[in-house]
Amino acid sequence: MKKASLFIRTATTLLLVANNGSAFQPAPEVARSAINRPGALLSPNEIRIGGTSLKYEDSDGSGYEIRGSDNGGSPRPSTTFGAENVPIDQRPSNEYLNLIQQPTFGWASQESGDAGLVLRLGVIYAALFFLVCYPISGATYINEGYFLQKLTSSNVGALSVVFVLVLRLYSGWGYIGSRLQSKVIEYEETGWYDGDFEEKSDAEKARDLFLYRSNVKPVEERLKKFALGVGGAWVASCVALNVAASSNPIFDQYDPGMLKKLSYDDKVAEVVMRESNGRPTYCENRYYRAVANGGQGCN
């Protein structure tokens, strides 16, 4: 009972962020009246205000959790209360609201979860691989026998973009997390040359810390996990590409030393003669064809 009582008292303060549109307004009377309404106290550890419930879980150390309405409910707020000296767009809670409305940053939110982020990153990877990277690899390796090189180079290209995207998401959420945890607000009145800082009030500290623990910290941990996973896959792909590049066919038109090797290696010369179909060797290489004034004798 003591824990439930403590939870209710704490929830009264933390309901600054618990109920969508009214969550960011400093109105303890509303919170108290909502708690006293029939049905508002769902359990000793859960309170519902409007379409949002505030629940406390301590079995796994997760702490407080905000859960929105599944049936629509009121829209998210666009601004929050805070220090009057700080421009509205530079208040940490407002920066959080702006972040989740930006393209791609909502992909890692609590609502999307791991499955949602994997699905979106997978779609981005597949689109880049098949629509961009593989056609470029195909235009680079134009002869037969280079399928492995095409595959590995396309994989590195697509994974590179996905890796950069995950790092961008992590840096954005990490910045907002540091702003929410800080006890002071660093801001700029009109530009970089007139920066200042404002100490948060107790209500702002409670709201921002609650936002961080419930909505931002889980996303940071998720993105850190994904960044390590995608980064490891990218390193492995680079190693695979290096191995594939070292296992070129015996007739490697992309090797600058190929023409030099032809002068003393009869086996290579036979393969080149067979592959060239009686034409000059440089006809199969765009670089050497350009050096030979556009490929004379190749038509």
Side-chain angles (χ1 to χ4, degrees):
M1 293 301 295
K2 289 183 179 180
K3 183 179 292 187
S5 166
L6 176 62
F7 168 69
I8 293 174
R9 288 197 301 270
T10 307
T12 303
T13 301
L14 296 180
L15 280 169
L16 298 170
V17 293
N19 185 30
N20 292 342
S22 62
F24 297 89
Q25 303 302 323
E29 294 79 13
V30 175
R32 284 196 295 269
S33 63
I35 293 175
N36 292 330
R37 288 201 302 268
L41 183 60
L42 302 181
S43 69
N45 289 341
E46 185 169 2
I47 298 174
R48 179 175 294 280
I49 305 296
T52 303
S53 64
L54 178 64
K55 187 176 182 180
Y56 181 78
E57 296 283 356
D58 61 354
S59 60
D60 57 354
S62 58
Y64 295 96
E65 176 188 1
I66 296 178
R67 295 190 294 184
S69 171
D70 296 332
N71 299 321
S74 57
R76 291 181 181 271
S78 58
T79 59
T80 70
F81 74 90
E84 296 182 357
N85 294 334
V86 181
I88 293 178
D89 290 340
Q90 296 184 43
R91 297 172 186 171
S93 51
N94 286 343
E95 290 176 324
Y96 163 76
L97 293 176
N98 291 333
L99 178 75
I100 60 179
Q101 295 172 2
Q102 300 304 313
T104 71
F105 281 98
W107 292 0
S109 65
Q110 283 288 74
E111 291 79 5
S112 299
D114 289 355
L117 183 57
V118 168
L119 177 62
R120 289 168 173 82
L121 293 180
V123 170
I124 293 293
Y125 172 83
L128 288 170
F129 186 94
F130 292 106
L131 300 180
V132 179
C133 298
Y134 196 80
I136 294 175
S137 299
T140 303
Y141 299 100
I142 58 176
N143 282 355
E144 296 182 1
Y146 287 92
F147 176 74
L148 186 59
Q149 287 82 351
K150 294 178 184 179
L151 195 64
T152 53
S153 59
S154 301
N155 186 48
V156 169
L159 272 180
S160 298
V161 177
V162 174
F163 188 33
V164 171
L165 175 60
V166 172
L167 291 179
R168 179 67 186 95
L169 295 178
Y170 180 70
S171 65
W173 281 93
Y175 170 76
I176 295 300
S178 64
R179 296 274 287 173
L180 290 173
Q181 292 181 87
S182 177
K183 296 181 180 179
V184 297
I185 304 175
E186 298 180 8
Y187 66 95
E188 299 171 354
E189 294 183 7
T190 56
W192 61 268
Y193 46 83
D194 59 354
D196 202 350
F197 66 90
E198 183 84 8
E199 189 165 351
K200 295 180 182 178
S201 64
D202 291 340
E204 288 179 282
K205 291 177 184 177
R207 176 201 59 200
D208 290 354
L209 188 59
F210 183 56
L211 265 177
Y212 172 74
R213 290 178 176 174
S214 60
N215 289 12
V216 178
K217 185 178 180 180
V219 177
E220 284 184 325
E221 294 175 349
R222 177 179 300 117
L223 288 173
K224 184 183 297 185
K225 177 177 61 178
F226 273 76
L228 291 174
V230 176
W234 181 81
V235 171
S237 298
C238 290
V239 173
L241 176 59
N242 187 51
V243 173
S246 63
S247 60
N248 290 320
I250 189 170
F251 178 51
D252 182 12
Q253 63 167 321
Y254 302 101
D255 185 1
M258 175 58 66
L259 294 181
K260 186 177 181 180
K261 193 175 181 180
L262 290 174
S263 61
Y264 62 85
D265 194 324
D266 293 337
K267 184 177 180 181
V268 174
E270 291 177 4
V271 174
V272 170
M273 198 164 59
R274 184 171 61 252
E275 293 288 339
S276 299
N277 295 320
R279 298 186 303 167
T281 304
Y282 57 71
C283 291
E284 300 299 329
N285 188 295
R286 289 179 295 174
Y287 170 75
Y288 290 119
R289 193 163 60 242
V291 172
N293 296 324
Q296 297 178 358
C298 293
N299 296 327

mmCIF file of all heavy atoms in Angstrom, residues 1-15 35-36 40-47 54-58 64:
data_model
loop_
_atom_site.group_PDB
_atom_site.id
_atom_site.type_symbol
_atom_site.label_atom_id
_atom_site.label_comp_id
_atom_site.label_asym_id
_atom_site.label_seq_id
_atom_site.Cartn_x
_atom_site.Cartn_y
_atom_site.Cartn_z
ATOM 1 N N MET A 1 0.823 -1.202 0.000
ATOM 2 C CA MET A 1 0.000 0.000 0.000
ATOM 3 C C MET A 1 0.860 1.256 0.000
ATOM 4 O O MET A 1 0.536 2.255 -0.615
ATOM 5 C CB MET A 1 -0.938 -0.004 1.207
ATOM 6 C CG MET A 1 -1.993 -1.086 1.145
ATOM 7 S SD MET A 1 -3.029 -0.939 -0.335
ATOM 8 C CE MET A 1 -3.816 0.616 0.017
ATOM 9 N N LYS A 2 1.988 1.210 0.730
ATOM 10 C CA LYS A 2 2.876 2.367 0.746
ATOM 11 C C LYS A 2 3.401 2.657 -0.650
ATOM 12 O O LYS A 2 3.515 3.803 -1.066
ATOM 13 C CB LYS A 2 4.032 2.129 1.710
ATOM 14 C CG LYS A 2 3.614 2.148 3.182
ATOM 15 C CD LYS A 2 4.833 1.979 4.059
ATOM 16 C CE LYS A 2 4.440 2.028 5.534
ATOM 17 N NZ LYS A 2 5.615 1.876 6.419
ATOM 18 N N LYS A 3 3.741 1.575 -1.372
ATOM 19 C CA LYS A 3 4.263 1.760 -2.730
ATOM 20 C C LYS A 3 3.183 2.339 -3.631
ATOM 21 O O LYS A 3 3.455 3.227 -4.452
ATOM 22 C CB LYS A 3 4.754 0.431 -3.286
ATOM 23 C CG LYS A 3 5.379 0.571 -4.675
ATOM 24 C CD LYS A 3 5.871 -0.752 -5.185
ATOM 25 C CE LYS A 3 7.057 -1.229 -4.379
ATOM 26 N NZ LYS A 3 7.647 -2.444 -4.973
ATOM 27 N N ALA A 4 1.926 1.861 -3.489
ATOM 28 C CA ALA A 4 0.839 2.400 -4.297
ATOM 29 C C ALA A 4 0.594 3.855 -3.963
ATOM 30 O O ALA A 4 0.351 4.696 -4.848
ATOM 31 C CB ALA A 4 -0.433 1.585 -4.079
ATOM 32 N N SER A 5 0.632 4.180 -2.680
ATOM 33 C CA SER A 5 0.434 5.569 -2.262
ATOM 34 C C SER A 5 1.526 6.461 -2.820
ATOM 35 O O SER A 5 1.272 7.562 -3.328
ATOM 36 C CB SER A 5 0.410 5.630 -0.740
ATOM 37 O OG SER A 5 0.532 6.922 -0.279
ATOM 38 N N LEU A 6 2.766 5.990 -2.733
ATOM 39 C CA LEU A 6 3.880 6.757 -3.267
ATOM 40 C C LEU A 6 3.743 6.911 -4.776
ATOM 41 O O LEU A 6 4.020 7.977 -5.334
ATOM 42 C CB LEU A 6 5.198 6.063 -2.932
ATOM 43 C CG LEU A 6 6.474 6.705 -3.510
ATOM 44 C CD1 LEU A 6 6.635 8.118 -2.961
ATOM 45 C CD2 LEU A 6 7.689 5.855 -3.157
ATOM 46 N N PHE A 7 3.292 5.869 -5.437
ATOM 47 C CA PHE A 7 3.120 5.925 -6.888
ATOM 48 C C PHE A 7 2.083 6.969 -7.273
ATOM 49 O O PHE A 7 2.268 7.742 -8.211
ATOM 50 C CB PHE A 7 2.704 4.553 -7.411
ATOM 51 C CG PHE A 7 2.232 4.569 -8.836
ATOM 52 C CD1 PHE A 7 3.127 4.812 -9.863
ATOM 53 C CD2 PHE A 7 0.907 4.361 -9.144
ATOM 54 C CE1 PHE A 7 2.713 4.835 -11.168
ATOM 55 C CE2 PHE A 7 0.480 4.393 -10.440
ATOM 56 C CZ PHE A 7 1.386 4.624 -11.461
ATOM 57 N N ILE A 8 0.954 7.039 -6.529
ATOM 58 C CA ILE A 8 -0.097 7.999 -6.846
ATOM 59 C C ILE A 8 0.408 9.420 -6.654
ATOM 60 O O ILE A 8 0.169 10.308 -7.464
ATOM 61 C CB ILE A 8 -1.348 7.734 -5.982
ATOM 62 C CG1 ILE A 8 -1.967 6.382 -6.384
ATOM 63 C CG2 ILE A 8 -2.371 8.844 -6.142
ATOM 64 C CD1 ILE A 8 -3.106 5.965 -5.507
ATOM 65 N N ARG A 9 1.149 9.654 -5.552
ATOM 66 C CA ARG A 9 1.672 10.988 -5.313
ATOM 67 C C ARG A 9 2.672 11.379 -6.401
ATOM 68 O O ARG A 9 2.680 12.498 -6.887
ATOM 69 C CB ARG A 9 2.332 11.053 -3.936
ATOM 70 C CG ARG A 9 1.346 11.013 -2.780
ATOM 71 C CD ARG A 9 2.013 11.505 -1.506
ATOM 72 N NE ARG A 9 3.177 10.710 -1.150
ATOM 73 C CZ ARG A 9 3.134 9.627 -0.363
ATOM 74 N NH1 ARG A 9 1.974 9.216 0.113
ATOM 75 N NH2 ARG A 9 4.237 8.954 -0.081
ATOM 76 N N THR A 10 3.525 10.418 -6.766
ATOM 77 C CA THR A 10 4.497 10.701 -7.821
ATOM 78 C C THR A 10 3.809 10.919 -9.161
ATOM 79 O O THR A 10 4.191 11.795 -9.938
ATOM 80 C CB THR A 10 5.488 9.535 -7.955
ATOM 81 O OG1 THR A 10 6.047 9.267 -6.677
ATOM 82 C CG2 THR A 10 6.600 9.874 -8.942
ATOM 83 N N ALA A 11 2.766 10.148 -9.422
ATOM 84 C CA ALA A 11 2.050 10.277 -10.691
ATOM 85 C C ALA A 11 1.395 11.637 -10.821
ATOM 86 O O ALA A 11 1.282 12.177 -11.929
ATOM 87 C CB ALA A 11 0.987 9.186 -10.806
ATOM 88 N N THR A 12 0.959 12.200 -9.704
ATOM 89 C CA THR A 12 0.358 13.526 -9.760
ATOM 90 C C THR A 12 1.327 14.542 -10.334
ATOM 91 O O THR A 12 0.954 15.405 -11.129
ATOM 92 C CB THR A 12 -0.071 13.972 -8.345
ATOM 93 O OG1 THR A 12 -0.968 13.004 -7.808
ATOM 94 C CG2 THR A 12 -0.765 15.323 -8.394
ATOM 95 N N THR A 13 2.590 14.420 -9.955
ATOM 96 C CA THR A 13 3.615 15.321 -10.510
ATOM 97 C C THR A 13 3.965 14.946 -11.932
ATOM 98 O O THR A 13 4.065 15.808 -12.816
ATOM 99 C CB THR A 13 4.892 15.260 -9.652
ATOM 100 O OG1 THR A 13 4.562 15.638 -8.307
ATOM 101 C CG2 THR A 13 5.945 16.223 -10.186
ATOM 102 N N LEU A 14 4.123 13.640 -12.173
ATOM 103 C CA LEU A 14 4.580 13.202 -13.494
ATOM 104 C C LEU A 14 3.494 13.276 -14.546
ATOM 105 O O LEU A 14 3.779 13.128 -15.725
ATOM 106 C CB LEU A 14 5.111 11.772 -13.402
ATOM 107 C CG LEU A 14 6.340 11.615 -12.529
ATOM 108 C CD1 LEU A 14 6.776 10.167 -12.501
ATOM 109 C CD2 LEU A 14 7.471 12.485 -13.036
ATOM 110 N N LEU A 15 2.226 13.501 -14.142
ATOM 111 C CA LEU A 15 1.166 13.626 -15.135
ATOM 112 C C LEU A 15 1.290 14.899 -15.955
ATOM 113 O O LEU A 15 0.502 15.167 -16.834
ATOM 114 C CB LEU A 15 -0.208 13.590 -14.458
ATOM 115 C CG LEU A 15 -0.660 12.168 -14.126
ATOM 116 C CD1 LEU A 15 -1.873 12.187 -13.244
ATOM 117 C CD2 LEU A 15 -0.917 11.397 -15.391
ATOM 118 N N ILE A 35 -7.573 11.509 -10.826
ATOM 119 C CA ILE A 35 -7.291 10.329 -10.022
ATOM 120 C C ILE A 35 -8.484 9.961 -9.165
ATOM 121 O O ILE A 35 -8.762 8.788 -8.922
ATOM 122 C CB ILE A 35 -6.054 10.590 -9.144
ATOM 123 C CG1 ILE A 35 -4.829 10.724 -10.037
ATOM 124 C CG2 ILE A 35 -5.837 9.484 -8.139
ATOM 125 C CD1 ILE A 35 -3.580 11.108 -9.289
ATOM 126 N N ASN A 36 -9.241 10.975 -8.711
ATOM 127 C CA ASN A 36 -10.371 10.708 -7.830
ATOM 128 C C ASN A 36 -11.608 10.260 -8.591
ATOM 129 O O ASN A 36 -12.577 9.851 -7.971
ATOM 130 C CB ASN A 36 -10.703 11.977 -7.025
ATOM 131 C CG ASN A 36 -9.592 12.293 -6.024
ATOM 132 O OD1 ASN A 36 -8.927 11.390 -5.540
ATOM 133 N ND2 ASN A 36 -9.392 13.584 -5.736
ATOM 134 N N ALA A 40 -10.539 5.813 -12.729
ATOM 135 C CA ALA A 40 -9.256 6.376 -13.128
ATOM 136 C C ALA A 40 -8.112 5.555 -12.573
ATOM 137 O O ALA A 40 -7.083 5.399 -13.210
ATOM 138 C CB ALA A 40 -9.138 7.823 -12.643
ATOM 139 N N LEU A 41 -8.265 5.013 -11.355
ATOM 140 C CA LEU A 41 -7.235 4.178 -10.750
ATOM 141 C C LEU A 41 -7.503 2.743 -11.165
ATOM 142 O O LEU A 41 -8.362 2.071 -10.607
ATOM 143 C CB LEU A 41 -7.247 4.332 -9.230
ATOM 144 C CG LEU A 41 -6.164 3.576 -8.455
ATOM 145 C CD1 LEU A 41 -4.789 4.047 -8.911
ATOM 146 C CD2 LEU A 41 -6.328 3.776 -6.968
ATOM 147 N N LEU A 42 -6.789 2.275 -12.165
ATOM 148 C CA LEU A 42 -7.042 0.944 -12.711
ATOM 149 C C LEU A 42 -6.546 -0.143 -11.784
ATOM 150 O O LEU A 42 -7.136 -1.215 -11.698
ATOM 151 C CB LEU A 42 -6.382 0.819 -14.079
ATOM 152 C CG LEU A 42 -6.825 1.860 -15.127
ATOM 153 C CD1 LEU A 42 -6.104 1.598 -16.433
ATOM 154 C CD2 LEU A 42 -8.325 1.846 -15.307
ATOM 155 N N SER A 43 -5.418 0.093 -11.122
ATOM 156 C CA SER A 43 -4.822 -0.866 -10.203
ATOM 157 C C SER A 43 -3.920 -0.082 -9.270
ATOM 158 O O SER A 43 -3.677 1.103 -9.488
ATOM 159 C CB SER A 43 -4.029 -1.917 -10.987
ATOM 160 O OG SER A 43 -2.887 -1.330 -11.563
ATOM 161 N N PRO A 44 -3.406 -0.710 -8.207
ATOM 162 C CA PRO A 44 -2.509 0.027 -7.310
ATOM 163 C C PRO A 44 -1.303 0.606 -8.018
ATOM 164 O O PRO A 44 -0.689 1.519 -7.503
ATOM 165 C CB PRO A 44 -2.094 -1.051 -6.292
ATOM 166 C CG PRO A 44 -3.204 -2.032 -6.300
ATOM 167 C CD PRO A 44 -3.705 -2.056 -7.713
ATOM 168 N N ASN A 45 -0.967 0.083 -9.200
ATOM 169 C CA ASN A 45 0.226 0.557 -9.897
ATOM 170 C C ASN A 45 -0.086 1.206 -11.231
ATOM 171 O O ASN A 45 0.808 1.432 -12.026
ATOM 172 C CB ASN A 45 1.211 -0.592 -10.139
ATOM 173 C CG ASN A 45 1.869 -1.049 -8.857
ATOM 174 O OD1 ASN A 45 1.869 -0.325 -7.876
ATOM 175 N ND2 ASN A 45 2.404 -2.243 -8.885
ATOM 176 N N GLU A 46 -1.384 1.498 -11.510
ATOM 177 C CA GLU A 46 -1.722 2.069 -12.814
ATOM 178 C C GLU A 46 -2.826 3.097 -12.667
ATOM 179 O O GLU A 46 -3.805 2.889 -11.957
ATOM 180 C CB GLU A 46 -2.161 0.963 -13.782
ATOM 181 C CG GLU A 46 -2.399 1.479 -15.196
ATOM 182 C CD GLU A 46 -2.568 0.352 -16.184
ATOM 183 O OE1 GLU A 46 -2.542 -0.815 -15.744
ATOM 184 O OE2 GLU A 46 -2.731 0.633 -17.382
ATOM 185 N N ILE A 47 -2.666 4.234 -13.364
ATOM 186 C CA ILE A 47 -3.633 5.311 -13.367
ATOM 187 C C ILE A 47 -3.954 5.656 -14.804
ATOM 188 O O ILE A 47 -3.054 5.724 -15.639
ATOM 189 C CB ILE A 47 -3.073 6.566 -12.649
ATOM 190 C CG1 ILE A 47 -2.789 6.243 -11.183
ATOM 191 C CG2 ILE A 47 -4.042 7.733 -12.744
ATOM 192 C CD1 ILE A 47 -2.097 7.364 -10.450
ATOM 193 N N LEU A 54 -0.759 5.655 -16.975
ATOM 194 C CA LEU A 54 0.583 5.770 -16.414
ATOM 195 C C LEU A 54 0.774 4.597 -15.477
ATOM 196 O O LEU A 54 0.045 4.439 -14.507
ATOM 197 C CB LEU A 54 0.731 7.093 -15.661
ATOM 198 C CG LEU A 54 2.059 7.364 -14.969
ATOM 199 C CD1 LEU A 54 3.153 7.462 -16.020
ATOM 200 C CD2 LEU A 54 1.999 8.647 -14.166
ATOM 201 N N LYS A 55 1.724 3.731 -15.784
ATOM 202 C CA LYS A 55 1.890 2.491 -15.043
ATOM 203 C C LYS A 55 3.290 2.403 -14.483
ATOM 204 O O LYS A 55 4.247 2.870 -15.096
ATOM 205 C CB LYS A 55 1.635 1.282 -15.961
ATOM 206 C CG LYS A 55 1.627 -0.059 -15.225
ATOM 207 C CD LYS A 55 1.265 -1.186 -16.173
ATOM 208 C CE LYS A 55 1.208 -2.516 -15.456
ATOM 209 N NZ LYS A 55 0.860 -3.621 -16.345
ATOM 210 N N TYR A 56 3.391 1.811 -13.271
ATOM 211 C CA TYR A 56 4.699 1.607 -12.661
ATOM 212 C C TYR A 56 5.007 0.120 -12.609
ATOM 213 O O TYR A 56 4.199 -0.680 -12.141
ATOM 214 C CB TYR A 56 4.734 2.183 -11.250
ATOM 215 C CG TYR A 56 6.085 2.018 -10.586
ATOM 216 C CD1 TYR A 56 7.129 2.861 -10.925
ATOM 217 C CD2 TYR A 56 6.322 1.013 -9.663
ATOM 218 C CE1 TYR A 56 8.379 2.715 -10.352
ATOM 219 C CE2 TYR A 56 7.568 0.854 -9.087
ATOM 220 C CZ TYR A 56 8.585 1.707 -9.423
ATOM 221 O OH TYR A 56 9.807 1.555 -8.853
ATOM 222 N N GLU A 57 6.184 -0.247 -13.120
ATOM 223 C CA GLU A 57 6.646 -1.631 -13.103
ATOM 224 C C GLU A 57 8.032 -1.647 -12.486
ATOM 225 O O GLU A 57 8.927 -0.952 -12.949
ATOM 226 C CB GLU A 57 6.714 -2.206 -14.526
ATOM 227 C CG GLU A 57 5.355 -2.293 -15.225
ATOM 228 C CD GLU A 57 4.520 -3.453 -14.736
ATOM 229 O OE1 GLU A 57 5.038 -4.225 -13.908
ATOM 230 O OE2 GLU A 57 3.365 -3.575 -15.157
ATOM 231 N N ASP A 58 8.206 -2.420 -11.427
ATOM 232 C CA ASP A 58 9.544 -2.477 -10.819
ATOM 233 C C ASP A 58 10.128 -3.879 -10.819
ATOM 234 O O ASP A 58 11.184 -4.118 -10.272
ATOM 235 C CB ASP A 58 9.518 -1.944 -9.387
ATOM 236 C CG ASP A 58 8.610 -2.754 -8.469
ATOM 237 O OD1 ASP A 58 7.924 -3.657 -8.982
ATOM 238 O OD2 ASP A 58 8.600 -2.481 -7.253
ATOM 239 N N TYR A 64 8.633 3.853 -14.790
ATOM 240 C CA TYR A 64 7.373 4.370 -15.280
ATOM 241 C C TYR A 64 7.224 4.159 -16.777
ATOM 242 O O TYR A 64 8.177 4.183 -17.523
ATOM 243 C CB TYR A 64 7.256 5.863 -14.956
ATOM 244 C CG TYR A 64 7.192 6.155 -13.483
ATOM 245 C CD1 TYR A 64 8.339 6.502 -12.791
ATOM 246 C CD2 TYR A 64 5.995 6.064 -12.793
ATOM 247 C CE1 TYR A 64 8.286 6.761 -11.425
ATOM 248 C CE2 TYR A 64 5.932 6.321 -11.446
ATOM 249 C CZ TYR A 64 7.087 6.676 -10.762
ATOM 250 O OH TYR A 64 7.032 6.933 -9.424
#
